[in-house]
Every structure is written in structure tokens, then in C-alpha cells.
Amino acid sequence: MEQLRPLNTVFQAELLAIREACLWASKTNQQFKVWSDGESSLHSTASIDTKSPISEQTQEILLKFTNIKLGWITADVGFSGGNEMADEHAKKATQERTPTYIPVPRSHIKSLLQK
């Protein structure tokens, strides 16, 4: 797991998690379905007009490894510990993991420029 900077967004974190899950799944020949409650992240990854480098990287993985599919699941539906486990790992990553670099979101730069 990686730790993001305070300026990074939840959207970026969701995209990174989806990309990392796809990278992990690409190392096998088994069928995988990566579930996410990040609807906007899934839309970005599915869009041919995405402006996100992380979404583009995920698209490349999905094109190369057709054994991986993405799916949307509503948050906190009681899915057998999945959301709780993800939340626990995310919390640990904020405290223990190596920081990673993801560019500051455009929205933050726009906000700074407007100020």
C-alpha cells in the first residue's frame, strides 16, 4: 500500500486502488472482477476522454489483460467484510506506508490560481 499526500483527493485514491488491484490481477490467468464503490472513478476509467493518467494506465492494463473486469458496488452493503477490510487497510496506509507521488489534482491548482 502507498500513502498519498494531503492534497490528493479521494478520487485519486480510488483510481490508484483500482489500478493496483488490476496490476495484481494481471499476474495470473484467472478471471478477476475488481469491485469499487467509486462510481466516478469507474466512469473515468471507462471513458475514452479521461484526463486522468491513472485511468489511462488502468485502461492499458484492462486492454492487455482481458481476464480482468471492473464492477460497481454500492458502499456499505454488508458485502462480506470487503468494505470494512478496505477501510482498515486505507487507515493503516495513512500511518505506516511509504509515501507515493501523484500529481496535485487540477482542481487544486485551479483553486490556487483563482485565489
Side-chain angles (χ1 to χ4, degrees):
M1 271 188 243
E2 300 171 354
Q3 183 181 26
L4 300 178
R5 297 177 301 160
L7 294 176
N8 292 120
T9 64
V10 171
F11 176 70
Q12 288 178 307
E14 289 173 347
L15 287 175
L16 184 63
I18 292 167
R19 185 193 72 191
E20 292 302 310
C22 290
L23 277 173
W24 181 81
S26 72
K27 295 179 173 131
T28 73
N29 289 327
Q30 296 178 359
Q31 294 292 319
F32 276 91
K33 184 112 183 199
V34 176
W35 294 96
S36 174
D37 65 358
E39 194 170 7
S40 58
S41 301
L42 292 168
H43 283 296
S44 176
T45 301
S47 173
I48 59 171
D49 295 325
T50 187
K51 292 178 174 60
S52 165
I54 304 169
S55 290
E56 291 172 348
Q57 293 163 3
T58 305
Q59 288 173 346
E60 291 172 15
I61 296 166
L62 293 170
L63 287 171
K64 187 174 181 183
F65 298 95
T66 58
N67 61 311
I68 306 168
K69 305 292 182 217
L70 301 180
W72 178 76
I73 187 168
T74 183
D76 301 322
V77 293
F79 179 69
S80 185
N83 283 339
E84 293 82 10
M85 188 185 320
D87 290 344
E88 183 180 321
H89 285 295
K91 189 179 290 184
K92 285 172 112 177
T94 64
Q95 301 163 349
E96 304 172 1
R97 302 300 179 184
T98 306
T100 189
Y101 175 76
I102 295 179
V104 175
R106 290 179 188 185
S107 59
H108 180 72
I109 294 170
K110 285 181 184 177
S111 173
L112 289 176
L113 290 172
Q114 289 174 348
K115 288 179 184 177

